[in-house]
Amino acid sequence: MTYEHEEIVEQQADITGLLLHHVYAPLVEDQHVRGVLPAPAATDAVRIVLGDKDEYAPDQLTAYEIPLRTGDELRTPHDVAALLRTVHTGTHIYPRDRVSTVMGMTLFTVDPATVEPAAFTNDDWTLTLLRHLAQPSTEEYPQPRLCGFLLLAPDRLRLYLDAEETLPGMTAADVRPGSALTALLAALPSLLDEQRLTTTDTDDPHCSRLVDLTNW
């Protein structure tokens, strides 16, 4: 893995960690985070899926692709959240070449040069402070790294995992949130390499392979 790619993967994992809170607490108005997707590697971007709480239907969700590089720097997770709050509020006109679809969702490609990021709120600062105190960061990420997720149904969750030490590219794993969680987490690294559970025939462009663990 190149240094530049490793930077993007680490940032993707940090963004996922920050936005997990907004699965339950709205990010903007009544909109919740329904997914964080690793955009195809060549784009150096992240895709965030927004929608109503408990919404799973792709045609009722909106995805935004936000580039992570700004000059020689990377946008922080807070930068990404601030841009999302702006682009999902009010009316924004997108050129035709910046509107497409992915996995049945409308996808807008954001040009940060045309967007004034929303201000970081007191609640954001409070959550950041409390998270750092309650969950001190470490230099080592757990393996495999969680780089995204998508809520597919009440009983189906897709995890985007980076297991670069053993598997190249991003691996998606479909799990049932109500399953034997502790056992699943312990077995996850080895299960990602189970050929009988793996397929590459997927409409999901955010991963290199898909592992079905819903019956595990």
Side-chain angles (χ1 to χ4, degrees):
M1 181 187 291
T2 65
Y3 174 75
E4 290 79 9
H5 180 56
E6 174 64 17
E7 274 190 315
I8 294 297
V9 173
E10 284 192 4
Q11 203 71 346
Q12 177 81 34
D14 287 345
I15 291 166
T16 299
L18 177 73
L19 294 181
L20 282 177
H21 169 72
H22 293 292
V23 171
Y24 303 101
L27 177 71
V28 55
E29 297 176 347
D30 61 347
Q31 295 295 283
H32 294 247
V33 173
R34 305 301 291 160
V36 180
L37 307 172
T43 64
D44 283 351
V46 63
R47 291 172 175 173
I48 313 299
V49 180
L50 297 183
D52 292 340
K53 189 176 185 296
D54 299 327
E55 183 61 73
Y56 297 92
D59 61 353
Q60 298 299 310
L61 301 173
T62 305
Y64 295 93
E65 181 174 306
I66 297 176
L68 290 179
R69 294 200 182 277
T70 171
D72 294 331
E73 302 295 327
L74 291 178
R75 287 189 170 83
T76 69
H78 296 126
D79 292 337
V80 171
L83 286 169
L84 281 171
R85 286 191 170 116
T86 297
V87 298
H88 204 75
T89 304
T91 301
H92 301 274
I93 306 300
Y94 290 86
R96 185 175 301 175
D97 63 353
R98 288 186 171 268
V99 183
S100 58
T101 60
V102 62
M103 300 174 69
M105 300 175 284
T106 300
L107 172 65
F108 295 102
T109 301
V110 177
D111 178 2
T114 67
V115 178
E116 182 64 34
F120 204 52
T121 69
N122 283 336
D123 283 349
D124 290 327
W125 285 116
T126 299
L127 177 63
T128 299
L129 173 61
L130 294 175
R131 178 179 281 139
H132 278 289
L133 290 172
Q135 300 173 330
S137 60
T138 64
E139 292 298 322
E140 296 295 327
Y141 284 93
Q143 292 294 329
R145 284 182 289 195
L146 177 66
C147 291
F149 64 94
L150 183 61
L151 297 155
L152 296 172
D155 64 345
R156 195 178 187 100
L157 172 65
R158 179 162 296 176
L159 305 174
Y160 293 92
L161 301 160
D162 169 56
E164 187 67 29
E165 291 183 2
T166 55
L167 296 167
M170 198 67 64
T171 299
D174 283 359
V175 301
R176 295 195 186 280
S179 62
L181 187 59
T182 301
L184 175 62
L185 290 174
L188 192 57
S190 60
L191 289 174
L192 294 183
D193 203 22
E194 285 277 357
Q195 293 302 312
R196 62 186 178 83
L197 302 173
T198 302
T199 177
T200 54
D201 182 16
T202 173
D203 294 328
D204 188 343
H206 308 101
C207 58
S208 301
R209 68 194 62 78
L210 174 63
V211 182
D212 187 356
L213 302 180
T214 54
N215 293 318
W216 189 82

